[in-house]
Amino acid sequence: MIGNAYPYTPAMWLADIKLASASGFDGFALNVGTDSWQSAQVALAYAAAAASGLDFKLFLSIDFTVFPCTSAVHATAVVSLAALYASHSNQAVYAGTDRPLLSTFAGSDCTFGSADWNAGFAKEVKAPLLAKSGKEMFFVPSVFTDPSTFASVDVMDGELNWNGGWPMGNTEISFASDETYLKGLGSKALMASVSPGFFTHYSPSSWNKNWIFLSDGFLYAKRWELLVQNRDKVDLVEAVTWNDYGESSYVGPIEGAQPNSEAWVDGFDHTPLLDINKYYSEAFKTGSFPSITADKVFLTARPHHNQAVATADTMGRPTGGQGGPSEGYLWAQNKFFAFVLATDDGEIKLQSGASTETFTVKKGANFFEMDLVTGWGMSATLTRNSATVVSLKPDYTFAGSTKIYNWNYHVYSN
């Protein structure tokens, strides 16, 4: 999210690129808006990628919730920005081609003065970009329209299933929406999404977003497992997101400029998820899970009881997103969750207060959960052959009360 990178320096870009590369990412999709400084940050990103010495790629994702797109003249800024990097050594191109990737957030209402968005993008973006850069873009937008129409939209080379990263309603995460997209796309490319979760708490006087999506139980790992299982159907995977703090979907460090989300983001580190990303992304890319050379235990939990009544919150209790319950607390369980990458079989003991539960651990990836005890923390002890292998007891207390509603979650690992 370039909009959250206002104070970024070249050193910050370089650090993010090195961390992302080491965590299994091949590049960044740069969501860019209309602020005058954002194009300068895009330039710093490309320069840092070149300076990194890594094969780390970038591509633009034009945010058409802010870019105007009703007139042909509005396309000029998009074409000019994309043309600047079409031949850059770190520009992402579609596999086996020299066609630069270009994406969007939204855009199905963008006619650029033509009859519809298909004609508008073809005439005012795709053709001028080819003429200006000598490169035909590989256009993979994220448009929120009927997937059955995708095959007939000639300007599209594929589609990003943005909302595929979360369960669609009160269900487990599945590959169902991706199958719908695949049917509509025909031979076009599917860019699937993976995300750790979604919680946002903005008042009507700002962005008026106050909801949570169902994401307990290590959604990031569960979604990745589905993508690995269906890797022969998926052309690209985009993580949503590296740094969208306002929607709590970040996996990168908390840095840059938050969009007034400090109340539910500060102190909620998600970077342990990067180890999970590295494990699954390698399996997706190669078809084989990497060897687990060291036991890793991950814990997540929400900060307060789901029926706590916030004493200083003027926005009210968040609702459940995507057709979920009107009382969103049903999607913030009073549990903690463990994910284990184990080098071999063993046992794990979970504890909260005086309550304990012991589970069998199998070599590979494992998921567990346990009720939290209000006023107490959580811990996990992994043993093998009666010897302790990992002991994880984070500095965490499950609160029974709260001043503001916060259903972001803590992530810890050894």
Side-chain angles (χ1 to χ4, degrees):
M1 302 290 292
I2 298 297
N4 292 344
Y6 176 77
Y8 262 47
T9 63
M12 293 172 72
W13 275 114
L14 185 59
D16 270 15
I17 287 169
K18 288 182 176 180
L19 177 60
S21 179
S23 304
F25 289 103
D26 297 311
F28 285 147
L30 303 178
N31 176 275
V32 60
T34 55
D35 298 304
S36 58
W37 55 267
Q38 291 203 32
S39 59
Q41 284 295 348
V42 169
L44 288 181
Y46 273 90
S52 72
L54 301 168
D55 187 23
F56 194 84
K57 305 301 184 183
L58 306 172
F59 65 94
L60 299 177
S61 177
I62 308 299
D63 194 332
F64 282 111
T65 65
V66 292
F67 263 86
C69 56
T70 57
S71 169
V73 71
H74 291 151
T76 303
V78 176
V79 172
S80 296
L81 185 61
L84 279 176
Y85 305 103
S87 297
H88 194 282
S89 59
N90 293 87
Q91 168 64 41
V93 298
Y94 190 67
T97 76
D98 67 347
R99 298 175 62 185
L101 280 172
L102 181 66
S103 189
T104 74
F105 182 78
S108 59
D109 296 326
C110 293
T111 64
F112 296 107
S114 296
D116 54 36
W117 76 278
N118 184 26
F121 274 99
K123 180 183 177 183
E124 305 299 343
V125 178
K126 198 166 191 175
L129 184 54
L130 174 60
K132 193 176 184 71
S133 68
K135 301 279 188 178
E136 183 180 7
M137 70 177 179
F138 195 89
F139 189 42
V140 187
S142 176
V143 289
F144 304 99
T145 188
D146 183 359
S148 69
T149 64
F150 290 161
S152 64
V153 181
D154 298 332
V155 75
M156 287 175 58
D157 297 295
E159 165 73 1
L160 165 61
N161 183 10
W162 178 274
N163 280 322
W166 302 280
M168 302 302 288
N170 193 24
T171 60
E172 284 290 317
I173 187 66
S174 77
F175 197 70
S177 68
D178 303 283
E179 293 284 9
T180 300
Y181 273 54
L182 286 164
K183 184 177 179 180
L185 285 165
S187 61
K188 296 178 180 180
L190 172 66
M191 184 187 293
S193 60
V194 59
S195 184
F198 192 120
F199 166 70
T200 187
H201 196 49
Y202 287 109
S203 72
S205 62
S206 59
W207 283 288
N208 194 26
K209 301 189 302 182
N210 186 23
W211 62 79
I212 178 179
F213 289 172
L214 184 63
S215 54
D216 279 349
F218 283 95
L219 171 66
Y220 201 67
K222 289 179 178 178
R223 173 62 173 168
W224 257 126
E225 291 209 339
L226 288 171
L227 297 181
V228 172
Q229 293 166 15
N230 292 278
R231 62 185 296 273
D232 59 325
K233 301 177 183 179
V234 177
D235 299 276
L236 302 154
V237 177
E238 182 172 305
V240 181
T241 61
W242 180 261
N243 69 331
D244 192 343
Y245 310 117
E247 296 180 351
S248 308
S249 62
Y250 54 95
V251 296
I254 301 169
E255 58 186 356
Q258 287 194 53
N260 296 318
S261 52
E262 290 85 351
W264 61 92
V265 170
D266 284 356
F268 289 77
D269 180 24
H270 289 182
T271 55
L273 295 173
L274 294 176
D275 286 331
I276 296 176
N277 189 84
K278 185 175 183 179
Y279 177 73
Y280 283 108
S281 63
E282 183 172 336
F284 177 81
K285 287 182 276 191
T286 67
S288 299
F289 282 100
S291 297
I292 300 171
T293 58
D295 295 290
K296 292 285 292 186
V297 176
F298 303 81
L299 298 177
T300 66
R302 310 281 184 179
H304 62 77
H305 197 284
N306 63 18
Q307 295 192 47
V309 177
T311 58
D313 197 321
T314 60
M315 286 172 276
R317 191 187 296 272
T319 61
Q322 297 193 6
S326 59
E327 295 292 347
Y329 67 83
L330 296 174
W331 282 358
Q333 300 179 63
N334 296 324
K335 295 183 177 184
F336 73 100
F337 301 89
F339 176 70
V340 180
L341 291 175
T343 60
D344 208 339
D345 296 350
E347 286 189 338
I348 191 167
K349 183 177 78 172
L350 303 183
Q351 182 166 0
S352 181
S355 298
T356 64
E357 290 191 51
T358 301
F359 304 91
T360 298
V361 172
K362 297 296 185 182
K363 181 180 180 179
N366 301 259
F367 297 86
F368 307 103
E369 63 184 61
M370 182 182 168
D371 290 339
L372 283 160
V373 177
T374 303
W376 292 85
M378 59 180 172
S379 66
T381 304
L382 176 65
T383 59
R384 185 174 298 119
N385 300 322
S386 301
T388 297
V389 178
V390 175
S391 180
L392 180 60
K393 187 175 182 180
D395 182 14
Y396 163 85
T397 301
F398 183 52
S401 61
T402 185
K403 291 183 178 180
I404 69 159
Y405 293 110
N406 185 356
W407 287 321
N408 192 358
Y409 57 84
H410 297 280
V411 189
Y412 306 97
S413 69
N414 59 300

